[in-house]
Amino acid sequence: MSDFAQVKDNIHTFEADKPLMKEESAALLQLAKDMYSGSVLPCTACRYCTSHCPRHLDIPELIKLYNEHRFTGGGFIAPMALSALPKDKWPGACIGCRSCEKVCPQQIKISEMMKDFAKRLQES
Ligand code: SF4
Ligand code: SF4
């Protein structure tokens, strides 16, 4: 949570004592399993990293697209979303300086993700 509005929103979400449906539980368990196995990167979109990127990449957004791309085994959503951005904002624009990684509370290996994402996009 990055601001008070998000805190309030989360409190509102958990105010109601509403049990999950069977399908929702299964989906959450699968997501947790994927996160634990490392196939989904646990970015919380806190954006601590973005001001440290010399290429001004939207790191959390790129991680979101990367997760989607990996989770679905490829597909059109990430390439389509990236096509709306200038190429100097694509994962391939990362220079691997790792300044972002020094401030990431989730210790995500962002530079490796960018490299892998760029490679996957080339192959798709
Ligand atoms: S490693 Fe890549 S994403 Fe991270 S700060 Fe450097 S250029 Fe930006
Ligand atoms: S600092 Fe880490 S968790 Fe926060 S937005 Fe950047 S990559 Fe995601």
Side-chain angles (χ1 to χ4, degrees), residues 18-32:
K18 200 172 95 190
L20 293 177
M21 284 163 45
K22 208 168 145 191
E23 298 77 23
E24 291 170 328
S25 285
L28 278 176
L29 282 171
Q30 184 60 46
L31 187 62

Side-chain angles (χ1 to χ4, degrees), residues 42-50 59-60 63 103-106 108 110:
C43 174
T44 59
C46 65
R47 305 194 72 84
Y48 294 158
C49 55
T50 50
I59 297 168
I63 291 178
V103 296
C104 176
Q106 304 296 327
I108 296 172
I110 300 164

Side-chain angles (χ1 to χ4, degrees), residues 52-55 57 59 93-100 110-111 114:
H52 294 262
C53 179
R55 305 305 305 265
L57 299 179
I59 297 168
C94 169
I95 53 171
C97 67
R98 303 181 67 192
S99 338
C100 52
I110 300 164
S111 57
M114 294 289 182

Side-chain angles (χ1 to χ4, degrees), residues 53-119:
C53 179
R55 305 305 305 265
H56 306 292
L57 299 179
D58 189 343
I59 297 168
E61 184 59 25
L62 291 174
I63 291 178
K64 192 173 89 183
L65 291 173
Y66 177 72
N67 280 341
E68 192 281 333
H69 203 58
R70 284 196 63 185
F71 195 64
T72 58
F76 69 94
I77 293 178
M80 192 176 70
L82 287 169
S83 71
L85 298 176
K87 284 228 168 172
D88 65 354
K89 298 295 171 238
W90 285 28
C94 169
I95 53 171
C97 67
R98 303 181 67 192
S99 338
C100 52
E101 295 175 16
K102 293 186 182 109
V103 296
C104 176
Q106 304 296 327
Q107 300 182 325
I108 296 172
K109 293 187 171 106
I110 300 164
S111 57
E112 285 178 23
M113 177 283 293
M114 294 289 182
K115 207 168 155 188
D116 186 49
F117 197 7
K119 189 167 159 263

